[in-house]
Amino acid sequence: MENVGIVVEDLPGAIEFFTELGLELEGQATVDQDWAARVCGFDELRCDIAMLRTPDGDGHVELMSYHTPTAIRTGPANAPANTLGLHRVLFAVEDIEGVVAGLRSRGVELLGELTSIEGAYLFCYVRGPEGIIVAFAEKLG
């Protein structure tokens, strides 16, 4: 997989959230070319994007903030984990307790608990930008 795309209203805030998790901002641009509108099925398109690379260099998160057409929300702002559709991204981390502590210092709370999965992983969910669920897993042993 190359990347996961996330539409956000607050692009700077979303960039800050993901860079604090260790992703590296590769670049930002405004996209308003005809080909982009055609790909998305719009008559016209203008959006700001930011591409962030995961620490291992193998994956990316693409953040998009639409100006034209304006973004729409089709479901609840803080949809629960069992909502149909794509709304969660998971990151493998080496120090999940440190990640959680850093997020808590920014006011981000766990959705449930930091949980051991059969002694193999520590796992948790937090609410990220625009209400998406961001999961973290630390392999144990």
Side-chain angles (χ1 to χ4, degrees):
M1 182 178 75
E2 165 56 28
N3 75 54
V4 172
I6 302 171
V7 177
V8 299
E9 288 180 324
D10 179 7
L11 186 60
I15 291 169
E16 180 182 347
F17 179 88
F18 286 107
T19 56
E20 286 188 13
L21 294 178
L23 279 73
E24 181 180 334
L25 179 63
E26 287 190 323
Q28 293 182 254
T30 297
V31 176
D32 60 1
Q33 290 86 9
D34 290 338
W35 65 263
R38 289 194 313 271
V39 165
C40 294
F42 299 133
D43 292 331
E44 59 181 318
L45 178 146
R46 183 173 185 278
C47 72
D48 296 325
I49 65 167
M51 187 65 73
L52 297 104
R53 184 178 61 243
T54 58
D56 64 8
D58 290 336
H60 296 83
V61 171
E62 181 178 356
L63 302 172
M64 299 159 278
S65 180
Y66 280 82
H67 302 285
T68 306
T70 57
I72 58 171
R73 185 177 304 277
T74 59
N78 290 315
N82 64 338
T83 301
L84 293 174
L86 178 65
H87 68 275
R88 182 200 38 85
V89 59
L90 181 140
F91 293 98
V93 297
E94 293 181 4
D95 177 15
I96 197 167
E97 291 177 356
V99 169
V100 169
L103 290 169
R104 282 189 167 145
S105 73
R106 295 187 60 235
V108 177
E109 292 298 326
L110 298 178
L111 289 184
E113 300 175 7
L114 178 59
T115 304
S116 175
I117 302 174
E118 299 180 0
Y121 290 90
L122 285 177
F123 194 80
C124 69
Y125 280 175
V126 301
R127 187 72 63 185
E130 309 304 325
I132 65 162
I133 295 173
V134 179
F136 301 99
E138 176 184 343
K139 188 171 185 173
L140 300 173

